[in-house]
Each structure stands twice: as structure tokens, then as C-alpha cells.
Amino acid sequence: MSLHPELIPRVTVDCATYPSLREKGVLITGGGSGIGASLVEHFCGQGARVGFIDLSQDYAHETARRVAAATGNQPHYEAADLRDIRALRSAIRSLSERIGPVRILINNAGNDDRMPIEDVTPEYWDERFQTNLRHQFFAAQAVIGEMTRAGGGSIINMGSISWMRGASGLIFYTTAKSAVMGLTKSLARELGERNIRVNSIAPGWVLTERQVERAKRIYQGKFSEYLEVQCLKEHLLPPDIARMALWLGADDSRLVTAQMFIVDGGVV
């Protein structure tokens, strides 16, 4: 099977404009590639002051260069391993100095690598939770003070529909992603009095470059088979997730909190 051009992740500029996002400080984790890079581009396109963190210095640099060229708005970045909470906190402090107080946090970073259940060790389990869940709490913890002082904000945690479907081969990922909803609910309850909203996005199978390459390598039939279970017969792309994040970050959703928004084309 050869991929059609519409399957290739693309830049989407034809979307709503949210005046309330202009000049707001936006922090995105895992912003160097995939959904994260699209988030960086979309928020820069709204005139926000964007900072992002990525594990890869090379990916981060290339994304920052490309986004600045496409939008005329230069994002700032820090390379850091989010499993290292001290490094995460340091990166957030550095970016806050450049973008101003963080008013919108998008906890996007994660990794859905697979492993047979028999091969999962306690050490690997713990590392997967560090990769997919723990940093979301500590990133939120690191910005709530400046959000409060600035008058409020929006935290968006990235979940997944994989746990709702009981996806196999990545039980450590589905378990962590199911916990994102509990984290979101509790943060929303605790931070509501500070005018901080907390929501989550649960994407379906989004055709990032990484996901496309893996599917092509392992099983190309997945492209057509996945569409069969979607109500809408079009593959999800990173901009589809970024557009939901724009709305959740903007004042248009000012009384929306403690919710999970499924963006999957109608799978679950």
C-alpha cells in the first residue's frame, strides 16, 4: 500500500482565530515532533508567546526554525528529559523567563512503544509511568503559582482512547493514560478557586510521521482497517488535535473544566 498525500501530516492554517490567545504564555511538553509540533505551530499562529520542551535538541531546533518561518512568530524551546523532574522544573523556569507567565500548559509528551506483557519488568513499568504520566502532575505543579498570580489559566492533559478500547501490547501505556482522567478531575477541583481550568484531550490514532512509519513497517493494512471502525472516514492528523487545544486554551471555553474531549473520528 502506498500512502495517499492526504495521509501526510500537514500544516493547517485555515482555522478559527482566538483573540484571547494573543500574547499569552503557552508551554507545551513534547513539542519537537508529531502532535506537539503541530501544537507549537498552531499556538504561534494565534500570536501566543510559545515555549516548548522536547527530549531531542535536534527536533526542537528544527521545529522552532520551521514554525518561525511559517508563522513569523519565534517559539522558544528547552531540551530536557521529562523523566528528570529537576530538569523539567529548570526548563519551565527558563522558558517562563522568555515567554512571560505561563497561562496555558499542554502536557503533551508521551510514548506508546509496545512490549509483550511477559517482558515487562518493574523497572520498565516505572519508566513508562515517568514517561507518560508523572511529568504531567509536576509540570502543572510548577506553573500553578504563576497562573494564579496572572489571574488564572488553562491546563490541558493529553490522554488517549487506547485505554477505553483495551489496546493490547502497551498495558503500561493504557494504564497511565487512564490515570490522566483522574489527574485531570482532581486538579480541576483543587485549582478551580484559582480560576485555573483543567481538561484533557483523548486522541484516537493520529497519523504523525512516527505512527505512519511504524504502521508501514509492521502492518500497512492498519490504515484501511482503522478507518472501518471510525464513523468519519478520514484519518486523524495532528492539526485535528491542535484545533481542540486552541479552543480549550482560549477564553471561549472559560467555564469548561474537569472534562475529557475525545477526538477520534468516532471510534469509541
Side-chain angles (χ1 to χ4, degrees):
M1 171 185 174
S2 60
L3 289 180
H4 297 291
E6 63 267 21
L7 297 186
I8 300 173
R10 63 183 183 272
V11 175
T12 302
V13 295
D14 183 19
C15 60
T17 299
Y18 298 95
S20 63
L21 293 178
R22 182 164 294 277
E23 295 298 322
K24 272 195 178 166
V26 179
L27 175 65
I28 299 164
T29 66
S33 61
I35 294 171
S38 189
L39 289 165
V40 171
E41 182 153 17
H42 278 70
F43 277 93
C44 278
Q46 297 283 332
R49 297 171 58 84
V50 178
F52 70 96
I53 304 171
D54 199 84
L55 180 63
S56 169
Q57 175 86 19
D58 291 341
Y59 281 174
H61 178 77
E62 176 57 25
T63 293
R65 182 202 63 77
R66 180 180 58 77
V67 168
T71 67
N73 185 0
Q74 179 70 58
H76 303 275
Y77 69 86
E78 288 286 331
D81 186 339
L82 301 188
R83 294 169 297 186
D84 182 343
I85 301 304
R86 181 176 296 180
L88 168 64
R89 289 169 170 162
S90 177
I92 291 174
R93 284 194 300 270
S94 177
L95 289 170
S96 294
E97 292 173 359
R98 285 175 277 173
I99 68 173
V102 174
R103 301 295 304 278
I104 300 166
L105 167 66
I106 307 177
N107 278 317
N108 167 73
N111 188 298
D112 67 343
D113 283 346
R114 272 69 170 168
M115 179 179 286
I117 191 169
E118 295 85 358
D119 297 339
V120 177
T121 64
E123 294 75 19
Y124 187 75
W125 179 275
D126 291 345
E127 187 276 331
R128 292 290 87 185
F129 268 69
Q130 292 172 16
T131 299
N132 292 304
L133 178 65
R134 188 177 69 156
H135 62 84
Q136 293 200 11
F137 170 78
F138 286 103
Q141 184 190 63
V143 301
I144 57 176
E146 57 192 284
M147 277 190 181
T148 302
R149 290 188 292 273
S154 174
I155 297 173
I156 304 165
N157 299 322
M158 201 63 68
S160 170
I161 70 163
S162 60
W163 66 269
M164 304 174 207
R165 305 187 73 206
S168 61
L170 63 167
I171 191 169
F172 34 82
Y173 178 81
T174 58
T175 305
K177 286 300 187 180
S178 69
V180 169
M181 194 60 239
L183 173 67
T184 298
K185 287 281 190 182
S186 290
L187 282 175
R189 181 65 61 186
E190 292 202 35
L191 301 179
E193 292 185 356
R194 308 187 198 192
N195 198 33
I196 296 173
R197 301 182 293 109
V198 190
N199 294 286
S200 70
I201 299 175
W205 188 39
V206 180
L207 293 193
T208 62
E209 293 179 1
R210 178 174 179 270
Q211 294 291 341
V212 168
E213 288 305 312
R214 181 164 63 187
K216 286 169 62 179
R217 185 176 67 252
I218 298 173
Y219 181 52
Q220 292 193 19
K222 182 176 181 180
F223 295 107
S224 58
E225 289 183 5
Y226 202 86
L227 280 187
E228 290 178 4
V229 300
Q230 284 188 197
C231 296
L232 301 174
K233 306 305 181 184
E234 184 177 348
H235 288 292
L236 288 164
L237 297 172
D240 298 311
I241 310 305
R243 288 178 174 190
M244 175 58 77
L246 290 179
W247 182 72
L248 287 172
D251 290 350
D252 297 60
S253 58
R254 70 184 190 91
L255 289 179
V256 176
T257 195
Q259 303 304 310
M260 175 178 63
F261 292 85
I262 297 172
V263 184
D264 70 348
V267 173
V268 297

